[in-house]
Amino acid sequence: MASLRQASLQTLSTTSGSAKQFILRDSVPEPPAAPTACSTFTGHPKHAIEFRHPGYPDEHTKNVILTLKAFDDTHAALHHATARIACAIVACNRWDGYLARTRDGGPIDLKEDDLLTDPVYFFKIPDAPDDRYPVFPNFDNWEYPHGNFPSNWRSMIPKEDDRDGEFSTSVSVSNLSGALLNRDNGCVISRYYDYCEKAHLCPVNELAWFKRNEMHTYNENDQLLDRNIIDDISNVVALRPDVHKAFDEKKFVLVPKLGKWVVHFTAATRHLGQLYHNTPLDLHKNVSPSQLFTRFAWAIFPSVLKFLEGGVGREVLVRTSQNGKHTWRTETVPPEDAAKRFGPPGSPKKRKLEWPTELQPGLDLSTPLPFTIKRARMSSSSPKLPSDFSPSDFSSFSDALSIPSEKQSHLQTPPETVKNPSETPSTPAVRKSVDDMLTVGDSTVETPTKYNNKTDVHPNPHERLDKARAEWVEYNKMRLEALLKQRPSDPSIYCCDYRAAEAAATLGIEGLREWDGGHLCNECLGVEYLEDRDKSLPPWHDEEETNCV
């Protein structure tokens, strides 16, 4: 090692003739958050424990409610209370449920902070007839247990005397990021300060669930309204970007163990689990235990889908809404319907444009356009339409679609340019209104129009075009209004580039004024590439046209 260090020395001459040594140093390895964090941790992906429902047959393990990683010891062990509460959440918040080693066995003789080491356990409820109790199928149907907290979580709720009042209810959304860094003094897990991010405990995309379950009652700031109601300082912690990403990917949760908040990894990782699993945290008293409990439930529910899809129909407790009130009812869901009803929303598939070949007069303009909204693309070298030209140059879409492509050249210049395009081929062709064009054999002839009871040329041959143009503008207006209703609940941080948008919001950089200062890209704004459309578009939409719809 000494020879390596000696080889790393370089001599630099100074202006005074003296020499100084420049040393190339090794990188400093990241230390674990606690000295003993790595002593008993196992990150082996096969170290897991199954928790089964006693009311269904064991065939091919199709009665497994949850499978939880057993990383609490090198011999595949799992914290007893964490596993039991996870099963109780799925079993409709039955905190009186217990773990048994066999289907007909009694409660295991373990304390809350002891470790589970068997590969299989049954979660049983005392008063369930034939052990057939229902389960919540997913997080959206889960009901938060107000006033009915499990005992080990209830003990973590700070008393009013313990609150120092450092952060009052005056912390607004605009000041949230700064107040968060001042409160947590960097990442609450790694203790790093650089580039920390605001991590929500109850995720922002669960705003509807947040409101429905009245989680705002645990907010520090009771003045937050609408989409900002979830941006309370009690619902956020500061995390380093990579730790934040693992948090949002459900790699770990924050749970109580031995009377302290600790990091509990629920999935295998290459590095973070070795550093931080079972690391105690010094969370501020303003961090809501209720929101931490919500995050715990949110992270475990995706695993329930395997239980719903296997074996026979499952009894589930689902939420129903009637007259503005929410109730829950028990129903049996067949396995083939589980993913469609309770699975995560799939990525939307691109729909092929099916432009109608004929639209009847008096069409309801509120009808949605038959194509999806995509993204915008940059300009190309293709020719552009004249500045006075519009999609509404036709009285109806059927008129536009019925005109042969060779006749579309008549739409390039005003009608005053030439009278007969065939006599002057070098001159741009005349643009004619649809009513003034009739195809007779292979030729095109003029059709006079009645005006003021006389057979004459209409003084405004583009009147119908202007009318159609107004219709097209109204189409786009209605479509954008529909898109506006589909916008995310918090445009200040929602974008396809989430981190860039959040970073800009954190730095106080104002976004688009028309979107309430939100940082949204063209894709989020609903702009479309014309090249993504079907070739059956009306003739005014050249495939290579650069204008965006």
Side-chain angles (χ1 to χ4, degrees):
M1 188 66 180
S3 60
L4 179 61
R5 289 293 186 186
Q6 188 67 26
S8 300
L9 301 181
Q10 299 181 8
T11 303
L12 304 178
S13 299
T14 62
T15 55
S16 60
S18 60
K20 293 184 178 180
Q21 291 182 335
F22 181 76
I23 300 177
L24 301 178
R25 67 180 183 89
D26 296 332
S27 61
V28 179
E30 182 178 4
T36 59
C38 300
S39 58
T40 59
F41 172 77
T42 171
H44 198 292
K46 292 186 178 181
H47 285 182
I49 296 177
E50 293 179 351
F51 298 91
R52 299 186 176 186
H53 195 303
Y56 299 96
D58 296 341
E59 182 182 4
H60 303 299
T61 67
K62 291 182 179 179
N63 63 336
V64 177
I65 305 177
L66 290 174
T67 301
L68 302 178
K69 296 297 183 182
F71 292 159
D72 287 329
D73 188 83
T74 54
H75 299 290
L78 178 60
H79 185 242
H80 176 204
T82 299
R84 188 181 67 83
I85 296 302
C87 294
I89 289 174
V90 176
C92 304
N93 298 335
R94 292 298 301 265
W95 316 132
D96 57 341
Y98 58 90
L99 297 176
R101 288 186 169 87
T102 63
R103 180 187 297 272
D104 300 325
I108 56 176
D109 186 18
L110 291 177
K111 297 180 180 178
E112 291 291 301
D113 289 312
D114 288 342
L115 295 178
L116 303 175
T117 56
D118 293 349
V120 175
Y121 290 90
F122 287 85
F123 184 75
K124 306 185 67 176
I125 293 179
D127 56 354
D130 299 327
D131 291 325
R132 292 293 293 266
Y133 56 82
V135 299
F136 283 123
N138 58 5
F139 178 78
D140 186 63
N141 284 277
W142 178 58
E143 181 184 14
Y144 182 82
H146 295 285
N148 184 24
F149 233 28
S151 58
N152 61 325
W153 287 78
R154 192 186 310 120
S155 63
M156 302 300 294
I157 300 177
K159 298 179 181 179
E160 290 296 328
D161 297 340
D162 297 334
R163 300 173 66 88
D164 54 20
E166 179 182 353
F167 291 89
S168 66
T169 59
S170 61
V171 178
S172 62
V173 175
S174 59
N175 297 328
L176 182 58
S177 297
L180 178 64
L181 285 177
N182 290 333
R183 186 195 71 180
D184 292 343
N185 194 28
C187 175
V188 296
I189 294 178
S190 67
R191 309 315 312 171
Y192 280 48
Y193 194 87
D194 295 338
Y195 305 108
C196 284
E197 297 177 344
K198 174 179 58 180
H200 287 79
L201 300 177
C202 180
V204 175
N205 58 1
E206 299 294 348
L207 177 62
W209 180 93
F210 188 94
K211 291 181 176 180
R212 186 168 61 247
N213 284 268
E214 299 181 347
M215 299 302 293
H216 63 275
T217 57
Y218 305 102
N219 282 357
E220 290 288 316
N221 187 353
D222 57 3
Q223 302 299 316
L224 299 177
L225 301 173
D226 195 25
R227 66 191 181 197
N228 294 327
I229 198 171
I230 202 170
D231 287 323
D232 187 77
I233 197 165
S234 65
N235 188 41
V236 291
V237 292
L239 292 179
R240 201 174 64 192
D242 59 330
V243 180
H244 186 189
K245 182 175 177 61
F247 194 45
D248 286 346
E249 291 180 353
K250 307 178 181 69
K251 300 292 186 182
F252 69 88
V253 291
L254 307 180
V255 299
K257 295 181 182 181
L258 297 175
K260 296 182 179 180
W261 293 114
V262 301
V263 182
H264 179 85
F265 272 77
T266 57
T269 59
R270 182 180 295 272
H271 186 64
L272 292 178
Q274 290 284 349
L275 290 174
Y276 302 123
H277 183 71
N278 280 340
T279 296
L281 304 179
D282 186 20
L283 294 181
H284 195 276
K285 294 181 178 62
N286 292 96
V287 178
S288 172
S290 297
Q291 308 297 6
L292 290 168
F293 190 69
T294 296
R295 185 73 181 208
F296 179 47
W298 178 79
I300 64 175
F301 264 111
S303 301
V304 182
L305 184 60
K306 292 182 180 179
F307 170 69
L308 301 179
E309 291 181 316
V312 298
R314 309 297 189 185
E315 291 187 6
V316 297
L317 194 64
V318 296
R319 173 180 53 85
T320 60
S321 299
Q322 187 176 8
N323 298 327
K325 296 182 179 180
H326 301 285
T327 58
W328 279 259
R329 71 170 186 267
T330 301
E331 62 180 68
T332 301
V333 177
E336 59 271 15
D337 294 342
K340 179 174 62 177
R341 292 189 57 185
F342 307 117
S347 57
K349 296 182 179 179
K350 179 179 178 181
R351 292 186 297 168
K352 182 179 179 181
L353 172 64
E354 297 179 356
W355 191 273
T357 57
E358 181 177 2
L359 296 177
Q360 299 298 328
L363 175 71
D364 183 8
L365 295 182
S366 63
T367 303
L369 291 179
F371 47 79
T372 56
I373 302 304
K374 298 298 181 184
R375 57 196 181 282
R377 66 181 174 94
M378 303 304 293
S379 61
S380 65
S381 59
S382 60
K384 295 183 179 180
L385 295 173
S387 59
D388 65 337
F389 184 74
S390 167
S392 53
D393 281 5
F394 299 93
S395 59
S396 67
F397 293 111
S398 58
D399 290 337
L401 293 172
S402 64
I403 297 178
S405 59
E406 61 269 16
K407 300 299 187 295
Q408 297 173 21
S409 60
H410 293 276
L411 305 176
Q412 302 303 318
T413 57
E416 296 77 12
T417 306
V418 286
K419 295 183 178 180
N420 191 345
S422 62
E423 296 178 358
T424 55
S426 60
T427 307
V430 179
R431 178 166 68 181
K432 304 177 182 180
S433 65
V434 176
D435 287 343
D436 295 336
M437 296 183 64
L438 286 178
T439 302
V440 180
D442 295 332
S443 62
T444 301
V445 297
E446 297 284 341
T447 300
T449 304
K450 280 194 174 184
Y451 178 67
N452 291 337
N453 298 323
K454 295 181 180 180
T455 301
D456 198 355
V457 179
H458 199 292
N460 184 8
H462 302 296
E463 180 179 359
R464 296 175 66 84
L465 307 184
D466 294 338
K467 179 181 178 181
R469 177 183 188 132
E471 291 179 1
W472 185 259
V473 172
E474 186 66 17
Y475 251 121
N476 283 325
K477 180 180 177 181
M478 291 181 177
R479 184 172 61 183
L480 291 178
E481 288 177 352
L483 287 173
L484 178 61
K485 297 178 182 179
Q486 302 173 16
R487 289 297 135 232
S489 59
D490 190 356
S492 65
I493 61 172
Y494 263 89
C495 184
C496 59
D497 190 355
Y498 174 90
R499 301 191 183 283
E502 185 179 35
T506 302
L507 294 174
I509 301 175
E510 185 178 3
L512 302 175
R513 293 184 181 273
E514 58 268 31
W515 291 95
D516 298 331
H519 300 274
L520 298 175
C521 64
N522 285 335
E523 181 175 358
C524 291
L525 290 175
V527 187
E528 181 183 31
Y529 275 127
L530 288 178
E531 67 179 3
D532 288 343
R533 292 192 177 184
D534 191 86
K535 294 184 179 180
S536 58
L537 282 168
W540 59 76
H541 286 288
D542 193 318
E543 286 186 354
E544 294 299 324
E545 175 55 36
T546 60
N547 297 328
C548 297
V549 176

